[in-house]
């Protein structure tokens, strides 16, 4: 359904020097720095999946989505959505896709929401029953009527996002590209938005590509994950597979020994080097162990041998922990796309003006 083949997007940025003389020399020499926002990215997203496009700030998610929605042309490589290259077929592609960019409005700034919808209805040639059905749904779940005849530019962020979400779903698109669709929304509206997208997926088989820094959005919506790091894909598969890459696992237990928490902790951490034991407020102890070093059986056997266990459970590794590790690994000084701070010539400088 969605294919990216060796997709690259580079931006040339004018190197600015401080001060007046600096500005003059910037004008005269026109030195450029190249930022490779998307670096040789290939992936396939099958129809009917709900994929989280995950990556730290600046990883290249929005830039990729801009190419997939036809807003930007790749520097090299290509991508297709339902067989079309979006940047070559913007009009036809627009009928297939629904787009939300939380950071940038897709609506007409000076028009009210009802006027925008009327235009979209004509642009997409939406059949009357579909238009009615969707509008009723948005009235009920997104309280669209409350936005009245206010021009979009005067709406609050949350109000505008309600309109953006509705506009992206209005024509029953086959693919939804939602880039941070829940920023500014309160909990109730976030739930409504999650419900809407899951409903579209269930009833129409909509393919969904979602970016969100709210992990709860990802957990509530997505079944698959595509993780990018400094412009490169570092994981593609199901969300479950991603969770299995967690390098730490946990066991939480309760005991009847009456041993002080500090003693329990010391006994666990001494007996199982490399393991962390953390007492919680309810008297339980959480044991975090490196998955490569211990099996759950080893950890549990140790606990059964040393304590009179009242209860225990093994919580699922959290997406947050997995992502913290992926994001954290790449945080090194320097601005080069491979995250090493080194350029091919090893100087840390990017070649001037090379695009
Ligand atoms: N129009 C542009 N001109 C120059 N550089 C750009 C432009 N758009 C993006 N970049 C750069 O490309 C890189 C990737 O940006 P992008 O917006 O795709 O990241 P992102 O993964 O969406 O991040 P975030 O989570 O913060 O939204 C960043 O280093 C950014 O500064
Ligand atoms: Mg972004």
């Amino acid at each position: 359904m969605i294919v990216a083949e060796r997709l690259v997007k580079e931006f040339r940025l004018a190197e600015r020097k401080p001060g007046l003389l600096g500005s003059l020399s910037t004008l005269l020499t026109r030195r450029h720095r190249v930022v490779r926002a998307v670096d040789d990215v290939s992936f396939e997203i099958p129809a009917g999946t709900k994929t989280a496009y995950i990556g730290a700030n600046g990883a290249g998610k929005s830039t990729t989505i801009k190419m997939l929605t036809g807003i930007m042309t790749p520097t090299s490589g290509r991508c297709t959505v339902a067989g079309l290259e979006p940047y070559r077929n913007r009009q036809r592609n627009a009928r297939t896709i629904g787009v939300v960019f939380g950071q940038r409005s897709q609506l007409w700034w000076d028009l009210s929401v009802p006027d925008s919808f009327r235009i979209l209805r004509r642009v997409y040639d939406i059949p009357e029953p579909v238009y009615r059905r969707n509008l009723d749904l948005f009235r009920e779940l997104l309280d669209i009527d409350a936005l009245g005849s206010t021009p979009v530019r005067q709406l609050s962020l949350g109000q505008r996002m309600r309109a953006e979400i509705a506009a992206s779903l209005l024509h029953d698109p086959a693919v939804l590209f939602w880039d941070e669709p829940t920023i500014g929304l309160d909990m109730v509206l976030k739930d409504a938005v999650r419900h809407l997208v899951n409903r579209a997926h269930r009833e129409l088989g909509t393919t969904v590509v979602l970016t969100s820094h709210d992990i709860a959005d990802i957990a509530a919506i997505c079944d698959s994950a595509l993780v990018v790091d400094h412009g490169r894909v570092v994981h593609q598969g199901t969300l479950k597979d991603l969770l299995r890459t967690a390098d730490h696992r946990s066991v939480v237990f309760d005991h009847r020994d009456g041993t002080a928490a500090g003693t329990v902790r010391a006994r666990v951490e001494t007996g199982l080097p490399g393991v962390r034991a953390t007492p919680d407020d309810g008297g339980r102890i959480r044991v975090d162990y490196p998955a490569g070093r211990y099996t759950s059986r080893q950890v549990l056997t140790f606990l059964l041998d040393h304590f009179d266990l009242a209860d225990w459970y093994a919580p699922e590794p959290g997406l947050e922990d997995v992502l913290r590790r992926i994001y954290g690994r790449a945080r090194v000084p320097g601005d080069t796309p491979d995250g090493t701070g080194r350029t091919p010539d090893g100087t840390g400088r990017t070649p001037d003006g090379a695009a």
Side-chain angles (χ1 to χ4, degrees):
M1 174 52 116
I2 302 167
V3 182
E5 289 165 10
R6 313 211 61 175
L7 211 50
V8 172
K9 183 69 190 181
E10 289 180 340
F11 297 107
R12 285 164 59 111
L13 301 176
E15 291 241 288
R16 289 183 198 286
K17 292 181 187 161
L20 185 61
L21 275 178
S23 304
L24 269 176
S25 93
T26 302
L27 274 176
L28 293 173
T29 57
R30 294 195 179 278
R31 290 166 72 89
H32 286 91
R33 188 165 68 90
V34 176
V35 175
R36 193 173 256 232
V38 176
D39 187 10
D40 200 9
V41 161
S42 299
F43 55 77
E44 256 180 67
I45 296 179
T49 52
K50 296 184 285 182
T51 300
Y53 199 29
I54 299 174
N57 290 134
K61 305 177 297 292
S62 296
T63 307
T64 306
I65 293 180
K66 282 175 190 162
M67 293 188 275
L68 293 172
T69 51
I71 296 169
M72 277 181 183
T73 307
T75 306
S76 66
R78 71 196 282 272
C79 57
T80 56
V81 175
L84 293 177
E85 272 186 273
Y87 32 87
R88 292 189 210 285
N89 304 273
R90 279 193 75 166
Q91 302 273 8
R92 275 176 68 197
N93 189 50
R95 290 177 177 241
T96 313
I97 65 175
V99 183
V100 173
F101 283 105
Q103 309 277 6
R104 147 188 172 157
S105 180
Q106 299 296 103
L107 295 167
W108 292 276
W109 218 222
D110 294 317
L111 296 188
S112 70
V113 173
D115 284 344
S116 302
F117 284 11
R118 276 190 279 275
I119 295 180
L120 286 172
R121 189 188 155 188
R122 259 180 282 147
V123 170
Y124 294 134
D125 204 8
I126 306 172
E128 177 70 20
V130 172
Y131 187 71
R132 284 283 134 227
R133 187 236 299 142
N134 285 345
L135 225 49
D136 285 346
L137 201 61
F138 305 149
R139 282 199 176 105
E140 183 194 334
L141 289 169
L142 300 173
D143 199 12
I144 285 297
D145 285 340
L147 306 179
S149 56
T150 316
V152 167
R153 72 183 134 75
Q154 285 173 7
L155 296 177
S156 76
L157 174 60
Q159 290 169 334
R160 176 173 73 74
M161 291 312 293
R162 278 148 62 190
E164 305 270 354
I165 301 264
S168 77
L169 290 162
L170 199 59
H171 56 302
D172 283 352
V175 186
L176 281 177
F177 290 104
W178 276 6
D179 189 0
E180 297 187 43
T182 58
I183 53 173
L185 295 184
D186 62 40
M187 267 167 0
V188 175
L189 277 160
K190 276 190 182 185
D191 280 344
V193 166
R194 292 166 188 166
H195 174 80
L196 275 171
V197 66
N198 285 332
R199 182 182 180 281
H201 173 260
R202 201 173 49 242
E203 294 186 1
L204 308 168
T206 312
T207 307
V208 180
V209 178
L210 169 87
T211 82
S212 177
H213 290 293
D214 182 342
I215 282 172
D217 282 343
I218 293 173
I221 297 170
C222 299
D223 48 39
S224 312
L226 190 64
V227 184
V228 281
D229 186 13
H230 287 82
R232 298 213 168 137
V233 175
V234 293
H235 173 92
Q236 180 169 19
T238 63
L239 205 54
K240 280 207 174 94
D241 285 342
L242 179 63
L243 292 174
R244 281 194 202 109
T245 68
D247 56 0
H248 276 75
R249 300 288 152 84
S250 312
V251 173
V252 179
F253 73 95
D254 221 341
H255 64 92
R256 289 180 281 239
D257 300 2
T259 320
T263 314
V264 174
R265 179 181 189 165
R267 205 180 288 168
V268 173
E269 292 184 351
T270 316
L272 299 168
V275 166
R276 214 176 56 223
T278 321
D280 74 9
D281 295 340
R284 283 182 297 261
I285 316 276
R286 182 189 173 101
V287 179
D288 294 298
Y289 60 96
R293 196 155 158 196
Y294 297 102
T295 62
S296 55
R297 190 194 180 95
Q298 284 172 310
V299 174
L300 210 56
T301 306
F302 178 90
L303 297 178
L304 286 165
D305 284 350
H306 290 80
F307 305 98
D308 181 15
L309 292 205
D311 192 14
W312 67 273
Y313 67 95
E316 285 267 325
L319 187 55
E320 206 171 320
D321 290 340
V322 172
L323 295 184
R324 193 168 284 130
R325 182 171 53 87
I326 293 174
Y327 292 8
R329 197 178 48 211
R331 284 286 151 79
V332 290
D335 187 24
T336 52
D338 64 357
T340 61
R342 283 191 308 273
T343 45
D345 65 358
T347 60
R349 283 194 301 272
T350 329
D352 296 333

